[in-house]
């Protein structure tokens, strides 16, 4: 695939693209933030997962003032904590928008933010955010991006995401054990963005993550055209994750590079910035 400089594209002409803000698990380390992605198509820009350390690189690519929406897969801190930083910017530090920022998140997100400030209610957040509770099968339009949400299998309420724009499809697993919803989200996707965890079972007996082999098998069953691995288990080398996932897929497999923008198409190529 040809690599096209992002600066050469007018926003209204740009296709669906993914920028990796962070992919670390379960905590941020030097040069690696936790989970966070910027999904863009045309003039739309959606911050998908707001893990610690992702707010700073987000602002290299778009502004909070013009961000179309936030979508959060689940409320574990490594996927959600930088929403607090966005509140400081929008609620306390003079970053202004023409309307509150739409936040699509699991139930209880606003209450968790309010708890940080020891506030008894959530009304004070309304100046910055407009919360929408995620549910299985929910569909939303974010400035032209079609967002389809499905409930997935994790040890807390969690969701995966399908984004459609201009005939292109991006699917994102979030954190999940293998489940049918992931195959439905990824059906025919141009790019499947999948975690590659360690497959261990939680103390209560619940599976929480996909292994690289399961990510590859998921991509094959879903008929995805390309697989991009992210949120690798601690200690799992990227080349090992790619090798393990490739055996079950048969299509192109790569591991994310933080700070890179990928066109959502067959064999996604990083867009040089």
């Amino acid at each position: 695939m040809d690599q096209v400089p992002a600066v050469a594209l007018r926003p209204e002409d740009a296709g669906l693209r993914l920028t990796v803000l962070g992919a670390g698990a379960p905590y941020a380390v030097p040069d690696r933030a936790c989970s966070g992605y910027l999904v863009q198509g045309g003039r739309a820009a959606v911050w998908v997962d707001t893990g610690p350390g992702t707010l700073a690189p987000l602002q290299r690519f778009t502004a909070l003032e013009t961000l179309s929406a936030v979508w959060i897969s689940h409320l574990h801190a490594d996927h959600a904590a930088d929403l607090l930083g966005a509140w400081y910017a929008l609620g306390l530090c003079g970053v202004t928008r023409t309307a509150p920022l739409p936040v699509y998140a699991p139930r209880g997100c606003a209450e968790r933010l309010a708890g940080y400030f020891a506030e008894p209610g959530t009304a004070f957040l309304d100046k910055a955010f407009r919360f929408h509770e995620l549910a299985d099968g929910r569909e939303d339009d974010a400035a032209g991006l079609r967002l389809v949400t499905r409930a997935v299998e994790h040890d807390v309420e969690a969701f995966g995401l399908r984004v459609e724009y201009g005939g292109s499809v991006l699917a994102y697993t979030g954190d999940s054990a293998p489940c049918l919803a992931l195959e439905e989200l990824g059906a025919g996707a141009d790019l499947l963005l999948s975690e590659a965890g360690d497959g261990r079972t939680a103390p209560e007996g619940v599976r929480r993550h996909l292994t690289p082999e399961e990510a590859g098998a998921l991509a094959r069953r879903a008929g995805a055209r390309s697989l991009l691995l992210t949120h690798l288990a601690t200690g799992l080398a990227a080349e090992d994750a790619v090798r393990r996932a490739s055996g079950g897929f048969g299509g192109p497999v790569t591991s994310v590079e933080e700070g890179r923008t990928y066109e959502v198409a067959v064999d996604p190529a990083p867009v040089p910035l």
Side-chain angles (χ1 to χ4, degrees), residues 51-212:
T54 60
L55 175 59
L58 173 78
Q59 294 170 88
R60 297 192 187 120
F61 300 95
T62 193
L64 286 172
E65 294 93 330
T66 56
L67 191 66
S68 304
V70 171
W71 186 96
I72 297 176
S73 64
H74 64 292
L75 297 184
H76 281 160
D78 61 330
H79 290 255
D82 258 17
L83 190 62
L84 177 62
W87 156 253
Y88 272 97
L90 295 168
L92 297 175
C93 296
V95 177
T96 59
R97 294 175 51 89
T98 57
L101 178 61
V103 177
Y104 300 93
R107 63 177 180 271
C109 185
E111 288 75 12
R112 291 201 183 190
L113 280 182
Y116 181 88
F117 293 98
E119 290 284 346
T122 63
F124 75 101
L125 299 171
D126 292 349
K127 65 185 295 186
F129 301 133
R130 184 172 71 252
F131 287 93
H132 304 271
E133 187 176 301
L134 291 180
D136 187 40
R138 180 178 177 123
E139 298 185 11
D140 294 283
D141 182 279
L145 298 185
R146 182 173 180 252
L147 309 179
V148 180
T149 296
R150 290 298 310 273
V152 298
E153 299 292 333
H154 200 41
D155 57 346
V156 297
E157 184 180 49
F159 300 92
L161 176 67
R162 181 182 177 96
V163 183
E164 301 175 357
Y165 177 80
S168 297
V169 177
L170 166 69
Y172 171 49
T173 64
D175 281 8
S176 176
C179 61
L180 180 59
L182 292 179
E183 296 182 33
E184 294 171 347
L185 278 174
D190 296 295
L191 176 60
L192 173 62
L193 177 66
S194 175
E195 66 148 349
D198 55 21
R200 289 183 295 180
T201 299
E204 62 275 18
V206 177
R207 280 288 309 280
R208 296 184 291 189
H209 297 283
L210 295 166
T211 65

Side-chain angles (χ1 to χ4, degrees), residues 193-259:
L193 177 66
S194 175
E195 66 148 349
D198 55 21
R200 289 183 295 180
T201 299
E204 62 275 18
V206 177
R207 280 288 309 280
R208 296 184 291 189
H209 297 283
L210 295 166
T211 65
E213 290 85 356
E214 289 166 339
L218 167 64
R220 175 178 50 79
R221 290 194 304 270
R225 295 179 176 176
S226 318
L227 175 60
L228 186 60
L229 300 178
T230 189
H231 201 53
L232 304 187
T234 302
L236 176 59
E239 59 269 24
D240 289 337
V242 169
R243 174 184 53 79
R244 290 168 58 185
S246 296
F249 179 31
V253 182
T254 53
S255 181
V256 297
E257 296 179 51
E258 270 127 340

